Amino acid sequence: MIPVEFAILAKTVSLLTHIVMMELRLSYFVFFLLLKHVNGDVSFSFQEEMKRGSVIGNIAKDLNLESSKLSTRNIRIDATGNRKRYCDINLSNGDLIVADRIDREELCGEKLSCVIKRDIVLENPLELHLLSLHVQDINDNSPQFKEESINMEMHESALRGARFVLEEAHDADVGHNSVQQYTLKKNDNFILSVDGNTIELVLEKELDREKQQEINLLLTALDGGSPQRSGTVVIHVTVLDANDNAPVFSQAVYKTSLPENSPVDTVVVTVSATDADEGVNGDVTYEFGHVTEDVKRVFSIDRNIGEIKVNGAIDFEAAMTYDLRIKAKDGLGLSSYTKVTVAVTDVNDNIPIIYVKSLTNPVPENVSPGSEVGIINVQDADSENNQQVRCSIRNNAPFKLVPSIKNYYSLVTTGQLDRELVSNYNITITATDEGSPPLSSSKTVQLSVADINDNPPVFEEQSYSAYVTENNKSGSTLCSVTARDPDWRQNGTVIYSLLPGEVNDAPVSSYLSVNGDTGVIHAVRSFDYEQFRSFKVHVMARDNGSPPLSSNVTVSVFISDVNDNSPQILYPAPEGNSFMTELVPKAAHGGSLVSKVIVVDADSGQNAWLSYHIVKSTDPGLFTIGLHSGEIRTQRDISESDSMKQNLVVSVKDNGQPSLSATCSMYLLISDNLAEVPELKDISYDEKNSKLTSYLIIALVSVSTFFLTFIIIILGVRFCRRRKPRLLFDGAVAIPSAYLPPNYADVDGTGTLRSAYNYDAYLTTGSRTSDFNFVSSYNDNTLPADQTLRKSPSDFAEVFGDCDSSPEVGPCTS
């Protein structure tokens, strides 16, 4: 009955254990459902060892997100540091899929609940959700005993009912998939007793060393999975003389703490067990029970004294606690077990790590202050205060860090950016934890500023002046304009052009052109100073931005004069073959004004500064001409011996380089009485090579007209004698105003007619016959020029001779 009772008891215990495990799993599930509901986070439960690509659940559905916006919001699972993500998100439909092998035993060991926690990060706007992945155990591990065989020595004196503790089997699975029951192959001496995690061989029948010195028992451990897995161990019992006391530990559980980074050979704890037996039966040795290889790499135990020391690196971030199972065994094989729990305390040995999760680079220079340009995440593997981190920007830049969700920061602008002032920023971010002493780290983020066309071209000068000499060559360079644009690339490329306009009613493009690339201004045609002396154009500088910006500048073109116009003689006027004759009273005193040569020059400045010279005269000492006025005056009083016929050849020169000149002839008659003119006419009218018939015709005409002419002269003389004769000493001669062209104003000393001379009559023109015009001046001191005589050249050819046998001289040559 005893074996049956034990079997029933074992099944009852197994059933109760299964129920408890199911209740625990149900409570964990309800707890995480409530946690999800309260915190709004996402939780999924799935089995370990699922194939890569297997769908766990749908993130978009749980977070109420539109699948079409997952990609634009850059949804991702954040696995900071060296941690694996294990899962990925399908951006097309929001499915959460397996990305890496998930082994619950590797992740959580013997823990009943295995939860992987990761962050789900969304941008635009920034959101952070906690993702809890509950990994469910599958029956993928068989129960295993520490050794393939267990050697036990028992004295034959052992009493019936004696119990011998066996080391339990280890199953990496948990819950129902872990070890649920043990079975012992049927034998004559032993039965199996299972109470929780305690497995004991119970001696049901006394041993008899003389009958059987060795007994082999087969112990099988079974889990509760489906299909069920099992593990076996052979128990080899050697029957000895009595050793009836097993070692006993001083504590059932040893608890201690150990700072991480403790050096090797640091003593963690010393376990102690005593055995009441003596001799070999009381000699106790210590060893690790069933522990992982990782534990053996970290800790070591002294076999004789039970001292546990540090054997490798202790890292709080790798493991916060260690559970060590220690076995004490006496010399004859009796053993007992205890548990050592080592709690690892955190040391501030991890610097904060800065991660740039998102960065807008380059940043447009017209971005408004307060705009988010990056997302920064800071991680510290330490715990509690050692994990608390403060972030700041070290250098003086128009950026700041704004705390966001959890350990995330937004990098935002604090002012207006200007690429023309600063085109690149090296932003140094410093993270410091609150440990003692504090640890910090820095990361430099390089941020470029993108150019915006916000600067128009600016000319180096407010206005430009160009100077060019008239008669320039077409295509000659006048000047160069330069505009600067501080923008970049095409926004700073400047193109020059002329603004539409007119110069002298002609398009400006017919006068000037500008090189669009260099700003060099060229003359399109030759300029004439006498047409216009200056003009203004407007040049536009435009960049290649979008939209383009531009600015204008005024270019003043000044044309300088060249001596390219000869002096133009206005009086005496060269009209056909006629010429003017002035009458000089015989009573004229020295210095009297008898006539004036009127000349203009289209040039300006010294090119129009005229000088007058008498190059030929009948009596060189009788008349003189003003060097710069052109006034012909008597040098002395007129005498009876002076010839009545006076011929002057006047040359007018300008002051240009080279000088240009013109000449004219002036005919003077010294006479007070017009009655003498016919005689002169008869004497002078003698053409060379004239025929006799011509003289006869002239004589007949003279006789027929003499009487009438004589009457007219007598009447004229009587009329003139009634007026008091006026002698000129400093007055002005009667000069026809018609010889002075419009737009010419006299400047004293330049050789042009003075504005002070005013006349009320002028000579007649255009007749080969004698025309007489009696004029009077408004100036009382003016010599009366009432006897101005105009005749044809043939009438006076002999009177004035032939210009000293010189070739025929016309009225004006230039």
Side-chain angles (χ1 to χ4, degrees):
M1 291 297 295
I2 292 177
V4 174
E5 292 175 355
F6 276 111
I8 293 173
L9 181 61
K11 290 182 179 180
T12 302
V13 170
S14 175
L15 181 59
L16 290 174
T17 302
H18 181 68
I19 293 173
V20 171
M21 296 301 294
M22 290 295 292
E23 289 178 350
L24 287 174
R25 293 178 62 187
L26 181 60
S27 63
Y28 275 114
F29 181 75
V30 172
F31 171 76
F32 283 108
L33 284 178
L34 291 175
L35 182 63
K36 174 184 175 184
H37 177 72
V38 173
N39 296 334
D41 297 325
V42 185
S43 177
F44 293 96
S45 179
F46 63 98
Q47 293 182 344
E48 65 173 329
E49 302 292 349
M50 292 181 69
K51 293 183 180 180
R52 289 182 175 88
S54 300
V55 177
I56 298 174
N58 190 278
I59 292 292
K61 181 179 180 182
D62 284 14
L63 294 180
N64 294 323
L65 299 174
E66 295 181 16
S67 300
S68 60
K69 295 183 179 180
L70 296 179
S71 179
T72 58
R73 295 197 64 183
N74 194 19
I75 188 171
R76 62 186 181 274
I77 295 177
D78 191 5
T80 306
N82 296 324
R83 297 187 300 171
K84 295 181 179 180
R85 293 194 313 275
Y86 293 113
C87 297
D88 279 334
I89 298 175
N90 189 328
L91 298 180
S92 62
N93 55 24
D95 286 340
L96 182 67
I97 60 175
V98 177
D100 203 348
R101 177 175 178 266
I102 301 177
D103 186 359
R104 193 205 65 81
E105 288 75 27
E106 180 181 345
L107 291 173
C108 303
E110 297 180 358
K111 296 179 181 178
L112 294 178
S113 176
C114 185
V115 181
I116 301 174
K117 292 185 178 182
R118 296 291 184 267
D119 292 332
I120 299 176
V121 181
L122 295 95
E123 298 180 6
N124 300 319
L126 178 64
E127 293 183 19
L128 186 66
H129 299 275
L130 177 63
L131 174 64
S132 298
L133 302 176
H134 298 268
V135 183
Q136 297 178 354
D137 184 43
I138 64 173
N139 192 26
D140 58 341
N141 291 283
S142 300
Q144 291 183 350
F145 291 91
K146 179 183 177 182
E147 300 173 348
E148 293 182 358
S149 63
I150 300 175
N151 295 318
M152 301 182 65
E153 296 179 346
M154 299 183 184
H155 284 272
E156 62 181 353
S157 60
L159 298 177
R160 182 181 177 183
R163 295 174 176 270
F164 304 94
V165 179
L166 299 176
E167 184 175 0
E168 72 271 20
H170 176 72
D171 194 334
D173 298 322
V174 295
H176 189 67
N177 293 325
S178 63
V179 177
Q180 299 296 317
Q181 61 178 334
Y182 295 88
T183 60
L184 183 66
K185 187 177 180 180
K186 187 176 181 181
N187 61 88
D188 297 329
N189 299 98
F190 298 92
I191 61 172
L192 192 63
S193 174
V194 180
D195 184 11
N197 291 328
T198 303
I199 307 171
E200 296 177 319
L201 277 178
V202 180
L203 183 62
E204 188 178 40
K205 181 181 180 180
E206 292 83 1
L207 299 175
D208 188 357
R209 182 178 176 278
E210 287 70 28
K211 291 183 177 180
Q212 191 176 11
Q213 295 182 354
E214 295 181 351
I215 300 173
N216 292 320
L217 304 173
L218 182 62
L219 178 63
T220 302
L222 300 172
D223 61 22
S226 178
Q228 192 176 50
R229 294 175 178 268
S230 63
T232 59
V233 65
V234 175
I235 303 174
H236 182 75
V237 179
T238 301
V239 181
L240 301 175
D241 288 337
N243 179 23
D244 53 355
N245 292 288
V248 178
F249 281 97
S250 60
Q251 298 179 27
V253 177
Y254 292 85
K255 293 184 178 180
T256 186
S257 61
L258 180 69
E260 67 172 326
N261 302 328
S262 295
V264 177
D265 292 336
T266 299
V267 177
V268 181
V269 69
T270 300
V271 297
S272 176
T274 59
D275 195 318
D277 296 326
E278 294 181 353
V280 177
N281 296 330
D283 293 336
V284 179
T285 57
Y286 304 92
E287 61 184 31
F288 286 118
H290 188 82
V291 294
T292 64
E293 292 298 323
D294 292 337
V295 173
K296 291 181 180 179
R297 284 193 292 268
V298 175
F299 299 101
S300 64
I301 186 170
D302 189 291
R303 181 179 178 83
N304 296 319
I305 62 177
E307 187 178 70
I308 301 176
K309 294 182 178 180
V310 175
N311 191 44
I314 302 295
D315 189 359
F316 174 84
E317 288 71 42
M320 293 182 287
T321 60
Y322 290 95
D323 291 326
L324 310 179
R325 190 164 180 81
I326 307 300
K327 176 182 179 180
K329 183 176 66 172
D330 61 18
L332 296 180
L334 295 180
S335 61
S336 61
Y337 294 88
T338 189
K339 182 179 180 181
V340 177
T341 300
V342 180
V344 181
T345 59
D346 184 38
V347 173
N348 191 27
D349 60 342
N350 290 279
I351 63 174
I353 301 177
I354 302 172
Y355 298 94
V356 179
K357 295 299 182 180
S358 178
L359 187 65
T360 302
N361 197 10
V363 179
E365 64 175 325
N366 62 344
V367 67
S368 58
S371 300
E372 182 181 84
V373 297
I375 298 175
I376 308 298
N377 178 244
V378 182
Q379 298 288 341
D380 194 317
D382 295 321
S383 64
E384 298 181 353
N385 289 340
N386 297 332
Q387 192 181 35
Q388 301 301 317
V389 178
R390 302 185 308 273
C391 283
S392 62
I393 293 179
R394 181 183 303 173
N395 49 349
N396 186 20
F399 300 93
K400 69 177 180 178
L401 290 174
V402 178
S404 186
I405 304 172
K406 202 176 178 180
N407 51 356
Y408 281 83
Y409 296 83
S410 295
L411 181 63
V412 299
T413 59
T414 60
Q416 190 66 48
L417 304 180
D418 191 346
R419 191 205 67 83
E420 287 70 44
L421 296 178
V422 181
S423 60
N424 291 282
Y425 289 95
N426 290 325
I427 306 172
T428 302
I429 301 173
T430 301
T432 305
D433 61 28
E434 295 185 359
S436 181
L439 299 178
S440 64
S441 64
S442 299
K443 188 177 185 68
T444 300
V445 177
Q446 293 184 347
L447 201 62
S448 300
V449 181
D451 184 46
I452 300 297
N453 190 26
D454 57 348
N455 290 281
V458 177
F459 284 94
E460 293 183 348
E461 304 287 344
Q462 293 184 352
S463 62
Y464 291 84
S465 297
Y467 298 90
V468 61
T469 304
E470 67 172 329
N471 304 326
N472 59 292
K473 293 183 179 180
S474 177
S476 59
T477 300
L478 300 186
C479 68
S480 176
V481 296
T482 304
R484 307 293 183 187
D485 194 322
D487 291 324
W488 195 44
R489 290 187 175 175
Q490 66 178 14
N491 293 333
T493 302
V494 179
I495 299 175
Y496 303 93
S497 61
L498 287 174
L499 290 179
E502 291 187 352
V503 177
N504 285 357
D505 298 329
V508 68
S509 58
S510 63
Y511 288 89
L512 300 177
S513 67
V514 62
N515 189 303
D517 297 326
T518 63
V520 177
I521 298 177
H522 301 277
V524 176
R525 63 164 66 172
S526 178
F527 300 134
D528 187 357
Y529 177 84
E530 286 68 45
Q531 291 183 1
F532 54 91
R533 301 182 180 185
S534 65
F535 61 92
K536 293 182 179 181
V537 297
H538 298 283
V539 178
M540 180 180 70
R542 176 181 58 84
D543 58 29
N544 267 337
S546 179
L549 300 178
S550 63
S551 61
N552 302 334
V553 73
T554 300
V555 179
S556 300
V557 180
F558 298 96
I559 304 170
S560 59
D561 184 42
V562 173
N563 192 27
D564 57 348
N565 291 280
S566 300
Q568 180 182 356
I569 299 176
L570 303 180
Y571 181 83
E575 298 180 2
N577 293 325
S578 64
F579 53 86
M580 303 301 300
T581 302
E582 297 286 350
L583 293 180
V584 181
K586 294 180 179 180
H589 296 287
S592 298
L593 176 64
V594 296
S595 185
K596 178 179 176 68
V597 178
I598 302 176
V599 183
V600 294
D601 195 316
D603 295 321
S604 66
Q606 68 174 7
N607 295 328
W609 187 15
L610 304 177
S611 60
Y612 300 82
H613 306 274
I614 297 176
V615 295
K616 289 183 180 180
S617 65
T618 304
D619 189 351
L622 182 57
F623 298 98
T624 183
I625 189 169
L627 178 62
H628 298 297
S629 65
E631 296 176 346
I632 300 175
R633 296 176 180 269
T634 59
Q635 294 190 73
R636 55 181 174 79
D637 295 341
I638 300 297
S639 63
E640 294 295 334
S641 62
D642 292 327
S643 173
M644 181 182 297
K645 301 165 291 182
Q646 296 290 330
N647 182 15
L648 304 180
V649 178
V650 179
S651 173
V652 184
K653 296 181 179 180
D654 59 27
N655 201 34
Q657 294 293 331
S659 177
L660 300 178
S661 63
T663 59
C664 65
S665 296
M666 178 69 73
Y667 299 94
L668 303 175
L669 288 177
I670 301 175
S671 175
D672 288 331
N673 192 347
L674 291 178
E676 301 174 357
V677 174
E679 299 175 2
L680 295 172
K681 178 180 179 181
D682 294 337
I683 297 174
S684 61
Y685 190 71
D686 183 15
E687 291 188 72
K688 295 180 180 180
N689 302 322
S690 63
K691 296 182 179 180
L692 179 59
T693 56
S694 298
Y695 286 106
L696 292 176
I697 293 173
I698 294 172
L700 289 175
V701 173
S702 299
V703 171
S704 63
T705 60
F706 177 79
F707 181 76
L708 178 63
T709 303
F710 181 76
I711 297 300
I712 294 173
I713 291 175
I714 292 175
L715 293 176
V717 170
R718 288 182 178 181
F719 176 77
C720 291
R721 286 182 178 178
R722 290 179 183 179
R723 301 179 63 185
K724 182 180 179 180
R726 298 170 184 172
L727 297 180
L728 175 62
F729 297 99
D730 263 336
V733 69
I735 304 298
S737 60
Y739 290 100
L740 185 64
N743 301 329
Y744 280 93
D746 179 59
V747 179
D748 193 15
T750 62
T752 308
L753 181 64
R754 297 185 182 181
S755 60
Y757 297 139
N758 299 299
Y759 308 96
D760 60 358
Y762 52 88
L763 300 178
T764 60
T765 59
S767 175
R768 288 183 58 86
T769 61
S770 299
D771 297 328
F772 299 94
N773 186 22
F774 304 96
V775 300
S776 62
S777 173
Y778 293 116
N779 191 339
D780 293 339
N781 296 325
T782 303
L783 179 68
D786 52 351
Q787 295 173 342
T788 300
L789 176 64
R790 184 170 190 176
K791 286 181 175 289
S792 65
S794 60
D795 294 336
F796 292 93
E798 293 183 359
V799 176
F800 294 97
D802 53 0
C803 296
D804 297 334
S805 303
S806 61
E808 182 178 351
V809 180
C812 180
T813 60
S814 61

